[in-house]
Amino acid sequence: MTSKVKSIDSNDLDQEPSDDCALVLNQELTNFEDVLNKLGGFGKFQILSLVSILSLEIPAAFGIFVPIFLGVPPKSWTCVNDTFEWTLLANESCSCPGELTTTLDTSLVAEWTLVCDYAWVSDFITSFQMVGTLFGNLYAGSFADRYGRKYACLGATLLMFLGQVCSAIAPNFYVYGAARFLAGIGFAGYILISAIYSMEFHTTEYRQVCGSVGPWGEGVMLLGLLAYLIRPWRHLCWATTVPFLLILGFFFVPESPRWLLRNNKVAEALRVTDTIARLNGKPPGTVQLATLKYIAKNEIKMQESPGSENGKVKTVSYLDMLRNRDLRFTTICLMTLWFSWSFTYFGISYNIRNMSGDPYLNVMFLGLTDVIGYPAGLLICNRIGRRKSVAFFMTWATVFLVALALFELIVGLISYPQLLLAFCLVGKFGASGARGCIRTLTGESYPTACRAKGSGLGGVAAGVAGIVAPQLAFIGTYWPSIPFFVFALVSIMGAVVSFLLSETMGKPMKEMNTENKKDVPPELLKENNSNGLVTRL
């Protein structure tokens, strides 16, 4: 005998679903993974959303790495006093008894004479940009969890754009430093939210795609070409703002339905699922409002504050995450992983301009390691699992970094610049592959209620590494082997820590960690067990 389910429209959102409805839902669509599979899994909508969201990795790559070219000092200066003028090499500039000038305006160092007592300014501003990423990771996650993924991603992108524009028109290095700080906030917010935003539209088997197919590496390579063709630094800054026109694609991507359900916006979530069904070639009404209401009801019940009014969604704070034993352990492990890959990645990347050879070609090689590394992370991550993939790539980086350090101690790599560059790039390939795997592992390890916050804390750890790594590279000018040994040590630490986390491949995205039962009301555990239903979004 077949039970009939009463149709529920947007005016019935405050009513309890019927028992017949609960029975059917329990058999067919028990979580949002099932809903996505019902809507076609990976279809036209998923492809369009990926392109729209991740295409902005191109201007993001421009913004974070353009200081490599903006801060290059000129090879020679003209020293002018009252009676004479003569040419000095870069390392002789401080001996000028008059005023230093140059006919070149290819870098901010030349325009603002950032040499001698001001030689530290350019690299300091690069680190200051990374300080901005700390704030971006810290606050973007909270904003995304409270106001939605779409608005958070859009706001972060606009901050990146504003930072690039202000950099191009900066009258002095103080304004330029503030602009880079702003760009750092936007960059971190976009990188953090874009992965989560796109991931929440995908089923289990395709989530790794979101962290591995973006055109980040292509953006880095394109930056090397642009910097070669456009030498004046202000013109280069303006050129890097053009790809921000891709932001128009955001207006065609709806809000994350997972976030909408978690915040009891069921009618809006239904409109999103209808859009997905239409683009994926599924008939209208493939997913009913009753289905979404049932999933949202169970999720909200799990997230209710103790003693609060029924239906009030609990806002998970950073303090709540630290109080929960499982979330605290997961966060510490993931922050360690983010620090590990970022320390190696940015340590090599920002030191690329100090290596021999053509700097523009070197940056293009730098991007090539990302172009190869990210898809490699996708292929391996979906075959052997998230944890083993992270360990594999971090160990790969460690092997080549240790080899670099040993070669430097034994024979000295200054005499073999091509070998130094090759080993650095192959080592960076390992960090690039680990990045995509870690982003996916992070998104799958947190519930929707604190997924953005958890990823933000990982980004904070990466930002700290991004600040410290360039300074360690500076030590390498005196003791060349030390940075490579430190990078290797941190990298292998990440490989070991990855095995302390739970494997997430092939599992629904978490909504509530119920392993620590003292954090869950006993009556709720009893209800879930009796229903035979584990509700996850």
Side-chain angles (χ1 to χ4, degrees):
M1 180 176 179
T2 304
S3 300
K4 294 183 179 180
V5 181
K6 178 183 176 181
S7 176
I8 300 178
D9 57 29
S10 59
N11 295 323
D12 299 325
L13 290 179
D14 295 329
Q15 299 179 10
E16 293 294 325
S18 66
D19 293 337
D20 288 339
C21 176
L23 178 61
V24 174
L25 290 171
N26 191 40
Q27 292 175 347
E28 295 182 359
L29 302 176
T30 62
N31 55 53
F32 200 73
E33 305 291 336
D34 295 334
V35 170
L36 288 175
N37 282 317
K38 188 81 172 179
L39 293 170
F42 189 82
K44 184 178 179 180
F45 173 85
Q46 279 71 24
I47 295 173
L48 291 176
S49 64
L50 271 177
V51 172
S52 299
I53 297 171
L54 298 185
S55 61
L56 283 159
E57 285 192 2
I58 293 176
F62 285 1
I64 202 67
F65 285 125
V66 75
I68 292 176
F69 299 106
L70 303 186
V72 176
K75 295 181 179 180
S76 63
W77 294 85
T78 300
C79 182
V80 180
N81 59 22
D82 295 336
T83 55
F84 298 100
E85 66 176 57
W86 62 98
T87 301
L88 295 174
L89 296 177
N91 59 359
E92 300 172 335
S93 58
C94 295
S95 63
C96 175
E99 180 183 357
L100 285 172
T101 63
T102 179
T103 58
L104 301 175
D105 61 350
T106 55
S107 73
L108 55 89
V109 174
E111 180 172 330
W112 294 325
T113 320
L114 300 180
V115 293
C116 302
D117 292 341
Y118 292 94
W120 56 274
V121 171
S122 179
D123 288 333
F124 176 79
I125 290 176
T126 300
S127 291
F128 194 53
Q129 173 181 269
M130 301 307 294
V131 173
T133 66
L134 297 182
F135 287 86
N137 282 301
L138 203 57
Y139 291 106
S142 297
F143 190 94
D145 282 336
R146 184 177 292 271
Y147 299 107
R149 312 319 196 196
K150 181 173 182 176
Y151 290 117
C153 208
L154 183 62
T157 304
L158 291 175
L159 278 178
M160 274 197 296
F161 174 73
L162 184 60
Q164 289 298 97
V165 170
C166 291
S167 297
I169 63 176
N172 53 57
F173 62 79
Y174 298 106
V175 176
Y176 173 77
R180 298 320 304 167
F181 180 81
L182 192 65
I185 295 176
F187 165 78
Y190 168 75
I191 292 298
L192 166 66
I193 305 302
S194 63
I196 297 171
Y197 188 19
S198 55
M199 192 182 297
E200 291 183 349
F201 288 113
H202 289 77
T203 55
T204 302
E205 60 269 29
Y206 291 105
R207 288 199 296 259
Q208 173 64 18
V209 174
C210 304
S212 303
V213 300
W216 174 269
E218 290 82 352
V220 177
M221 296 181 70
L222 186 57
L223 175 63
L225 179 62
L226 280 177
Y228 175 78
L229 298 174
I230 307 173
R231 299 301 175 92
W233 73 275
R234 292 188 186 273
H235 294 173
L236 179 60
C237 276
W238 282 115
T240 59
T241 64
V242 174
F244 280 101
L245 290 172
L246 294 169
I247 198 175
L248 296 175
F250 264 124
F251 296 99
F252 300 98
V253 183
E255 180 56 81
S256 164
R258 296 179 190 269
W259 182 86
L260 291 171
L261 290 176
R262 194 263 162 187
N263 287 274
N264 202 25
K265 300 178 183 290
V266 185
E268 293 180 42
L270 179 65
R271 288 193 289 270
V272 174
T273 56
D274 285 344
T275 299
I276 297 174
R278 184 177 69 255
L279 289 176
N280 284 354
K282 297 296 179 179
T286 299
V287 176
Q288 298 295 320
L289 183 64
T291 302
L292 298 181
K293 182 183 176 184
Y294 190 80
I295 295 175
K297 174 181 175 292
N298 280 275
E299 162 59 10
I300 292 171
K301 185 175 292 186
M302 287 182 177
Q303 303 290 347
E304 284 178 4
S305 301
S308 65
E309 297 180 2
N310 185 43
K312 182 178 180 181
V313 179
K314 178 182 179 181
T315 300
V316 181
S317 66
Y318 289 113
L319 187 58
D320 292 328
M321 294 174 65
L322 292 176
R323 287 172 177 167
N324 184 289
R325 183 185 62 190
D326 296 324
L327 285 178
R328 182 173 62 247
F329 180 78
T330 297
T331 298
I332 292 173
C333 291
L334 288 172
M335 289 182 72
T336 303
L337 293 183
W338 279 79
F339 182 91
S340 298
W341 82 259
S342 179
F343 192 70
T344 304
Y345 184 93
F346 286 110
I348 296 174
S349 298
Y350 282 124
N351 193 48
I352 200 75
R353 69 181 183 187
N354 296 324
M355 296 183 183
S356 62
D358 189 307
Y360 306 101
L361 192 59
N362 287 351
V363 169
M364 294 187 71
F365 284 140
L366 198 70
L368 183 61
T369 62
D370 292 331
V371 171
I372 300 173
Y374 292 169
L378 169 64
L379 294 175
I380 295 178
C381 205
N382 280 337
R383 287 182 177 272
I384 66 174
R386 314 317 191 204
R387 299 185 307 167
K388 292 180 180 179
S389 298
V390 172
F392 169 78
F393 283 110
M394 299 304 287
T395 303
W396 174 290
T398 300
V399 169
F400 284 93
L401 288 169
V402 169
L404 269 173
L406 292 177
F407 269 108
E408 175 59 37
L409 285 175
I410 298 172
V411 298
L413 284 174
I414 296 180
S415 304
Y416 304 92
Q418 290 81 13
L419 184 62
L420 171 62
L421 178 63
F423 272 50
C424 281
L425 292 176
V426 175
K428 183 180 171 293
F429 165 81
S432 299
R435 175 180 177 265
C437 300
I438 292 172
R439 289 177 73 185
T440 303
L441 179 61
T442 302
E444 293 176 342
S445 297
Y446 287 108
T448 299
C450 60
R451 185 170 296 130
K453 286 189 180 72
S455 298
L457 289 174
V460 168
V464 171
I467 295 170
V468 177
Q471 308 307 318
L472 185 65
F474 175 75
I475 297 176
T477 59
Y478 301 98
W479 299 283
S481 62
I482 288 181
F484 299 126
F485 275 124
V486 177
F487 291 151
L489 179 63
V490 173
S491 185
I492 198 63
M493 176 183 67
V496 173
V497 169
S498 66
F499 287 104
L500 300 178
L501 291 162
S502 300
E503 180 56 64
T504 60
M505 184 180 72
K507 298 179 181 179
M509 295 181 78
K510 285 188 175 182
E511 277 313 321
M512 185 72 173
N513 193 340
T514 58
E515 293 177 5
N516 190 7
K517 293 182 173 54
K518 71 178 183 179
D519 295 325
V520 184
E523 63 274 11
L524 184 57
L525 287 173
K526 181 179 179 181
E527 177 183 342
N528 288 338
N529 290 336
S530 64
N531 288 340
L533 173 65
V534 179
T535 303
R536 297 180 179 185
L537 298 183

